[in-house]
Amino acid sequence: GIDQEAKKTILQTLRYVLADAELDEGVVIEADQKLLAPPWDPNVHIITLPRVGFVDVTAYITQQIQGQSFQYIAGADFQQQCAGCVFKVYARSHEPADLAEWVMVGLWSVFFRSGGDESDLLEALRAANYTATNCLIIGDCSGAWQKGDHGYGPKSFEVFKSAGYTILGPTKKKTATAQYSKNPDVEASVAQLRNQIQRGRFYVEQNPHTGQLQKALAGCDARVDIYGNLRPKGVHSHLIDTCRYPLWWLSAGASQIQPAA
């Protein structure tokens, strides 16, 4: 391995060389830190449900944002190794002030480490009873125009749509003429997830189906880009994406929620 002094010199040289050039995102220095831990703390953020003072507001919030109510919100990532997580949204009550402080709780996760495609993810969701009628999916935007393994065959979103699921990207299209929406900026959405955890608004239920998610939140490695931003790295990053996407969608949509009648 490179010793710290040498690392520092290399980084300074890079900064100097690249000062006037377009900065290449590929030029990074490895961070000796985890992406989310801290603030992620298993002793604090892994909980058992039901929890006193929590009301399930998933159906209400999805109705308000999407015009259709769902009991669950799933995050899905499609690159070569598909991943999925399922969440519920809780608040202290349906009052506007409480709804504004909604909390996400992860209930279920799956990661096909040795390879599994969109159809495998679909089957896993169905087998766990997260169906087209009760589960809204927020997926990696690139799934709208490509297949996860970049090969031939139906695009990622199509696999779910043809099974009757409602699947959306985490963001809306920037302009009316844009064909597809774009994933949220990695740094911004990682910062949002860290913030959500730090503020006690992101938990994972202690159950037999969240082991992979717990591991990813505690163990995902970080790399620091040239601007000093944290970016996910390595095998756990897929499950982190399945948290970032629904969180981004909820944050954007929750601001439009009208007070309950």
Side-chain angles (χ1 to χ4, degrees):
I2 303 178
D3 73 24
Q4 290 308 313
E5 235 3 81
K7 221 176 199 181
K8 213 151 62 189
T9 315
I10 291 169
L11 187 65
Q12 279 163 349
T13 313
L14 282 175
R15 290 231 160 100
Y16 177 73
V17 170
L18 290 168
D20 303 316
E22 268 300 299
L23 290 174
D24 173 14
E25 275 194 8
V27 181
V28 293
I29 178 164
E30 302 296 346
D32 296 320
Q33 61 182 318
K34 297 295 175 196
L35 185 75
L36 301 168
W40 173 261
D41 178 351
N43 298 317
V44 175
H45 297 113
I46 296 172
I47 61 168
T48 48
L49 291 173
R51 206 169 196 209
V52 179
F54 269 18
V55 183
D56 181 355
V57 294
T58 320
Y60 179 72
I61 281 187
T62 48
Q63 176 69 51
Q64 289 287 322
I65 301 175
Q66 185 54 22
Q68 190 183 348
S69 82
F70 294 91
Q71 288 167 269
Y72 306 98
I73 300 174
D77 192 47
F78 309 115
Q79 293 308 316
Q80 275 84 345
Q81 297 166 306
C82 281
C85 276
V86 173
F87 297 92
K88 266 195 175 296
V89 187
Y90 290 90
R92 298 212 170 277
S93 78
H94 283 77
E95 293 301 313
D98 287 336
L99 276 177
E101 291 295 303
W102 50 269
V103 169
M104 271 172 83
V105 181
L107 308 178
W108 179 91
S109 61
V110 66
F111 174 52
F112 298 104
R113 187 169 185 156
S114 49
D117 64 9
E118 297 85 347
S119 304
D120 295 312
L121 181 53
L122 176 73
E123 283 316 310
L125 282 163
R126 274 186 177 153
N129 220 11
Y130 300 117
T131 64
T133 42
N134 69 19
C135 190
L136 169 68
I137 300 177
I138 310 297
D140 175 354
C141 283
S142 69
W145 72 85
Q146 68 181 13
K147 187 169 161 22
D149 62 5
H150 304 198
Y152 298 104
K155 301 174 182 81
S156 302
F157 276 28
E158 285 309 319
V159 174
F160 290 90
K161 282 179 177 165
S162 46
Y165 282 84
T166 301
I167 183 165
L168 310 166
T171 60
K172 287 196 163 41
K173 291 194 295 191
K174 289 258 193 300
T175 61
T177 52
Q179 215 178 339
Y180 305 107
S181 58
K182 267 185 71 178
N183 279 334
D185 177 78
V186 177
E187 294 85 13
S189 56
V190 164
Q192 186 182 61
L193 179 56
R194 286 176 61 89
N195 188 33
Q196 192 84 354
I197 294 167
Q198 205 151 17
R199 290 167 61 201
R201 292 180 54 192
F202 184 96
Y203 296 97
V204 170
E205 185 186 18
Q206 177 64 294
N207 72 39
H209 311 291
T210 57
Q212 289 174 312
L213 178 57
Q214 290 180 32
K215 241 185 227 155
L217 289 160
C220 186
D221 289 317
R223 62 188 180 89
V224 175
D225 71 13
I226 207 121
Y227 302 105
N229 296 307
L230 289 182
R231 299 176 70 101
K233 184 185 93 157
V235 76
H236 293 309
S237 60
H238 301 285
L239 276 169
I240 300 305
D241 290 345
T242 67
C243 300
R244 290 192 297 121
Y245 301 148
L247 173 57
W248 193 269
W249 182 84
L250 276 162
S251 299
S255 55
Q256 315 153 8
I257 292 176
Q258 301 306 307

